[in-house]
Amino acid sequence: MDHDYSKLFVEETSLYELGSLVPERLWSPLPHFFRGWLRNYIGGVFLKNKRCRLASIPYLVNVSAYLVFVEFGIYWMHRELHNIKPLYKWLHATHHIYNKQNTLSPFADLAFHPLDGILQALSHVVALFLVLMHFRTHIIFHFMEGIRTANIHDCINGKIWPVMGAGYHTIHHTTYRHNYGHYTIWMDWMFGTLHNPDEDEAKKV
């Protein structure tokens, strides 16, 4: 009776074997209990990865929303620091002492009035109250902020679309009316303040 039951068990559970996942010649010599364990392990890995993929979708949505909010907020804060004359005179003008191409260097990104820096970083903080964000990701973006500000003042135009690189920001320091953007050129493009450095190069030719 026990033998018949074991045989029946093997026959029924063979319906869920590894044939669709692993070539039969690899799993058929294995003991039945080990084949069952291996099947369950592989199935568990697939389910876990599926849950990870499903969990990563909201995370990517949140990161995207965070970046869009920061782009929008910093663009308008930077633009108003130019448009509102007292703010420019008492805060932002300190940074624009470095207003010619040959005076720009990565050190120019440190030439900020403290309140200017706080105002421009405000969007990062406000975004934390609006978008669910892992704190480590928030810190990584702040680390990237330091790299970005050094890069846009080094006069080396990497030309990586749609990054707001040094070529665009040098124009900002010489015209004061263009390229207020943050990581990308999209906000300047949307609000009509984009000036492409390639256009100036084409005029020189």
Side-chain angles (χ1 to χ4, degrees), residues 35 43 63 66 71 99-100 109 114 155 163 165 169 191 204:
R35 296 205 303 262
V63 168
Y66 177 95
E71 284 282 331
N99 62 351
K100 301 297 180 185
D109 75 296
C155 298
V163 174
H169 199 70
F191 297 110
K204 294 176 182 177

Side-chain angles (χ1 to χ4, degrees), residues 85-96:
K85 299 307 179 186
L87 288 180
Y88 181 83
K89 179 180 179 181
W90 297 108
L91 299 181
H92 200 56
T94 301
H95 181 63
H96 277 273

Side-chain angles (χ1 to χ4, degrees), residues 15-197:
L15 294 173
Y16 311 105
E17 283 289 2
L18 300 167
S20 60
L21 301 174
V22 182
E24 184 177 357
R25 69 177 184 278
L26 296 179
W27 59 263
S28 58
L30 300 173
H32 184 74
F33 78 90
F34 187 74
R35 296 205 303 262
W37 175 86
L38 189 60
R39 174 199 63 209
N40 293 341
Y41 176 79
I42 293 174
V45 168
F46 278 125
L47 287 174
K48 180 182 178 183
N49 287 340
K50 185 177 181 181
R51 287 196 298 270
C52 289
R53 288 194 296 270
L54 291 174
S56 68
I57 292 173
Y59 180 75
L60 292 175
V61 170
N62 287 351
V63 168
S64 299
Y66 177 95
L67 289 173
V68 169
F69 182 86
V70 168
E71 284 282 331
F72 181 86
I74 291 180
Y75 169 85
W76 279 105
M77 182 61 72
H78 190 186
R79 187 167 174 174
E80 293 310 306
L81 281 165
H82 280 265
N83 292 340
I84 300 173
K85 299 307 179 186
L87 288 180
Y88 181 83
K89 179 180 179 181
W90 297 108
L91 299 181
H92 200 56
T94 301
H95 181 63
H96 277 273
I97 292 171
Y98 303 93
N99 62 351
K100 301 297 180 185
Q101 183 171 354
N102 60 357
T103 63
L104 284 174
S105 76
F107 294 104
D109 75 296
L110 302 174
F112 272 99
H113 190 287
L115 288 178
D116 186 354
I118 290 170
L119 287 172
Q120 292 201 56
L122 197 59
S123 295
H124 280 285
V125 178
V126 174
L128 289 177
F129 293 92
L130 302 176
V131 181
L132 290 174
M133 175 63 59
H134 195 287
F135 186 69
R136 184 176 296 171
T137 306
H138 173 70
I139 294 300
I140 288 171
F141 283 135
H142 271 290
F143 176 75
M144 290 171 59
E145 194 79 26
I147 296 173
R148 181 200 74 91
T149 52
N151 169 254
I152 63 175
H153 294 98
D154 66 7
C155 298
I156 301 172
N157 187 13
K159 296 184 180 181
I160 303 174
W161 187 92
V163 174
M164 176 66 73
Y168 289 98
H169 199 70
T170 297
I171 289 173
H172 172 74
H173 273 261
T174 54
T175 70
Y176 296 81
R177 295 177 288 110
H178 302 97
N179 303 348
Y180 301 100
H182 189 52
Y183 289 122
T184 71
I185 64 173
W186 288 335
M187 293 299 162
D188 284 285
W189 175 76
M190 286 174 60
F191 297 110
T193 54
L194 183 64
H195 187 126
N196 193 326

